Amino acid sequence: TREHGDRGLSVERRRVGICITGQLARLELRLKLATLVRPLRSQGLAVDVVAVLSVADRAMFTNRRYAGRWNASRFRSMDHVREVLRAEADAVRVVAFEQPAAPLLEMQYVKNLDNGQSREQRRGGG
């Protein structure tokens, strides 16, 4: 976007894009807005957000340890997500996709998640 600087000259406003992916049923936006969008905007950046979300009726989990302990998303619809993001970001696009019922996964990855090990922990980094 173009804005006018203190000398009246037109300058380009710097922009940053954020892509949020996941499931509508498990969407958490509060921390993303507080730790990414608001701080970037407070620095004078224009923030564009694209959210690509599965619209399945129920949450899906790869990591079985968390499947029964997950709080449902507070978002009722994609329109609700769009409304919340528009109040915080400069430009918003919300895209729905159909998540496969049985996505292709590396089984060792799933086993490690079920055992509570992240990739960083397996590499000795955490």
Side-chain angles (χ1 to χ4, degrees), residues 32 40 42 48 58 74 84 108 120:
K32 293 166 187 64
L40 289 167
S42 72
D48 302 336
R58 63 180 180 83
R74 69 180 188 91
V84 169
Q108 187 60 48
E120 290 76 25

Side-chain angles (χ1 to χ4, degrees), residues 26-103:
R26 293 176 54 186
L27 181 62
E28 188 289 318
L29 280 182
R30 186 180 57 81
L31 287 173
K32 293 166 187 64
L33 295 171
T35 61
L36 290 170
V37 176
R38 290 181 196 130
L40 289 167
R41 289 192 79 205
S42 72
Q43 294 175 28
L45 294 165
V47 178
D48 302 336
V49 178
V50 175
V52 181
L53 304 169
S54 165
V55 292
D57 291 337
R58 63 180 180 83
M60 298 176 70
F61 297 86
T62 300
N63 188 346
R64 290 181 291 221
R65 291 176 47 205
Y66 295 103
R69 298 185 295 178
W70 193 263
N71 295 327
S73 169
R74 69 180 188 91
F75 296 99
R76 300 174 302 276
S77 67
M78 298 293 269
D79 286 336
H80 186 201
V81 173
R82 188 176 295 108
E83 177 185 320
V84 169
L85 289 173
R86 280 188 176 150
E88 301 275 354
D90 295 281
V92 172
R93 175 100 190 247
V94 179
V95 180
F97 81 95
E98 295 292 326
Q99 182 169 336

